[in-house]
Amino acid sequence: MKKANGFQVALMISTGILLTGIVPLVASPVQAQHSPQSQQLRDLLRQGRDLAESGNYQQALEVYRQAVFIDRSNAKIYSGIGYLYAALGQYAEAAQAYQYALQLEPNNATFQAAYAHCLAQLQDHRNAAAAYQRALQLDPRNVDYYLGLGVVLMRQGAHRQAQEVLERGAAINPKDGEVYGLIATTLLEQNQMARAVETLQRATQRFPRNGKLWLQLGIFLLGNNQPEAALSALERAASYEPRNGQIQLQIGGILQRQGRRQEAQTYFFRAASLQENTFEGQLALGDALMSYEAFTPAIIAYRRATELASNNPVAYYRLGMALRGQGRNREAIENWRIAQSLFERAGNREGVREMQALINGDRDVSPNFRPFN
């Protein structure tokens, strides 16, 4: 999904779906209240809860595994194990644990939704949708379940069906405007830009302090060739989320296209200062800045990427492109030579050839060149 200047709505399912599956539950008393094993189980569950709350998921998992041997019929223990596996990013194991919990408590909506979430993370969207539907049968007033079902339907390309599901969720008086942002995206996917914008405009009126809604509205307005209205919406977004680099980047892009380059640079540098300090983050920022021909901040981002991953040729290749855009050809060639050497070391012959063509000035890089291949 790459529309409205590349805007992508991320999966925005509340972590509460999983959190409610462990913290209050694992602290509950369990069966067999008067045996020595009962006291040992309570102690283990308390220890596991404390470890989980402090972020020590692997240690907590070991404690819950011990608890299973004491009481194999306690669904709450399996749900706790599922939560911990999910927190560790081991979604297949988490899904299996929630399946065990559901065998013991098949009518527990929280377990169903957590199971659905794990399946969605595993890209098993068809079964995730079925699990969310089951959760909604059990708890039809839970907006988070509508959000989850809507997202997995969108991932399957069922945008009209997703829209209907999300609109049912919106009718339950949601606590924030998240659902409206997703509805707008389903409308965009159905080529209904005007309705998408209208939905976001109503949502920002209802939830005026939701910076993400203002950001999405700004990007959609920009995609609808309304730059001034987009700029106004993005400035509202920035007022509520001043540390959101994506907002700063979008504002800078509009100003750049309007010829207000000095103002644009300020926003670009703000975006750079807020960007996560990872190789992927800096590379993505540099690419975005290059699309606006903002060469100076792009050079800074790409340089940082080379520092974070000094053996990755892609950062040097793109740094060279940014330097060339600024007319610094000698430095560009130096970086392409480094990229060429790294491509050669990795056995990427195409990369070696493309860098040589750039160094020789024979041509720009081929549009079919994919440096990660």
Side-chain angles (χ1 to χ4, degrees), residues 202-234:
R202 289 200 306 268
T204 53
Q205 290 172 6
R206 183 174 176 184
F207 303 97
R209 300 186 66 81
N210 188 317
K212 291 183 176 62
L213 284 176
W214 284 108
L215 169 60
Q216 189 175 352
L217 175 58
I219 294 174
F220 278 30
L221 287 167
L222 191 60
N224 203 34
N225 296 316
Q226 297 175 256
E228 291 299 332
L231 183 59
S232 177
L234 290 166

Side-chain angles (χ1 to χ4, degrees), residues 123-355:
Q123 309 298 312
D124 186 357
H125 303 310
R126 183 176 62 83
N127 286 320
Y132 275 125
Q133 287 166 342
R134 174 63 176 153
L136 281 169
Q137 290 172 357
L138 296 167
D139 184 4
R141 301 290 298 174
N142 193 308
V143 177
D144 282 333
Y145 301 170
Y146 287 99
L147 291 176
L149 178 56
V151 167
V152 294
L153 288 170
M154 289 166 66
R155 289 179 174 179
Q156 295 177 84
H159 299 294
R160 176 61 185 168
Q161 189 179 352
Q163 178 193 341
E164 293 171 354
V165 166
L166 292 166
E167 286 175 345
R168 292 203 302 272
I172 303 175
N173 193 30
K175 60 183 178 297
D176 59 39
E178 181 179 328
V179 65
Y180 296 102
L182 290 171
I183 290 171
T185 302
T186 65
L187 291 167
L188 179 68
E189 289 293 338
Q190 297 174 74
N191 297 315
Q192 299 182 47
M193 174 64 88
R195 285 189 62 194
V197 168
E198 183 183 352
T199 296
L200 289 169
Q201 287 172 330
R202 289 200 306 268
T204 53
Q205 290 172 6
R206 183 174 176 184
F207 303 97
R209 300 186 66 81
N210 188 317
K212 291 183 176 62
L213 284 176
W214 284 108
L215 169 60
Q216 189 175 352
L217 175 58
I219 294 174
F220 278 30
L221 287 167
L222 191 60
N224 203 34
N225 296 316
Q226 297 175 256
E228 291 299 332
L231 183 59
S232 177
L234 290 166
E235 287 172 343
R236 287 290 296 273
S239 70
Y240 296 121
E241 294 195 18
R243 297 196 59 76
N244 187 320
Q246 174 70 7
I247 298 172
Q248 305 293 331
L249 187 63
Q250 291 291 336
I251 293 174
I254 293 174
L255 295 172
Q256 184 89 336
R257 283 189 287 269
Q258 291 178 341
R260 299 158 64 180
R261 293 182 177 273
Q262 195 62 43
E263 294 174 76
Q265 288 286 91
T266 300
Y267 283 96
F268 287 145
F269 280 115
R270 285 180 189 168
S273 70
L274 295 169
Q275 182 66 15
E276 61 177 314
N277 195 31
T278 64
F279 172 76
E280 293 80 5
Q282 293 297 320
L283 201 67
L285 174 64
D287 292 348
L289 291 165
M290 283 291 285
S291 72
Y292 299 124
E293 297 186 354
F295 299 119
T296 300
I299 289 168
I300 294 172
Y302 288 140
R303 279 200 199 284
R304 183 58 184 143
T306 65
E307 294 168 359
L308 292 165
S310 60
N311 292 322
N312 192 310
V314 177
Y316 294 99
Y317 151 57
R318 293 184 182 171
L319 174 56
M321 300 297 285
L323 288 162
R324 187 182 67 171
Q326 207 174 53
R328 297 160 64 178
N329 294 327
R330 182 182 60 79
E331 293 173 78
I333 290 172
E334 289 174 359
N335 281 277
W336 289 333
R337 289 192 190 282
I338 296 172
Q340 184 181 41
S341 175
L342 292 170
F343 277 129
E344 187 172 14
R345 190 183 306 170
N348 188 326
R349 295 180 181 179
E350 184 185 4
V352 172
R353 286 195 300 269
E354 293 293 344
M355 293 307 100

Side-chain angles (χ1 to χ4, degrees), residues 37-72:
Q37 281 191 329
S38 171
Q39 182 60 50
Q40 183 184 2
L41 182 60
R42 285 197 297 272
D43 291 343
L44 285 171
L45 294 177
R46 187 179 301 109
Q47 181 185 358
R49 179 194 60 194
D50 292 343
L51 287 166
E53 289 178 346
S54 64
N56 295 319
Y57 301 125
Q58 192 64 56
Q59 290 178 268
L61 188 57
E62 294 302 320
V63 171
Y64 277 101
R65 285 174 178 151
Q66 294 176 48
V68 168
F69 287 105
I70 297 175
D71 187 356
R72 295 178 183 273

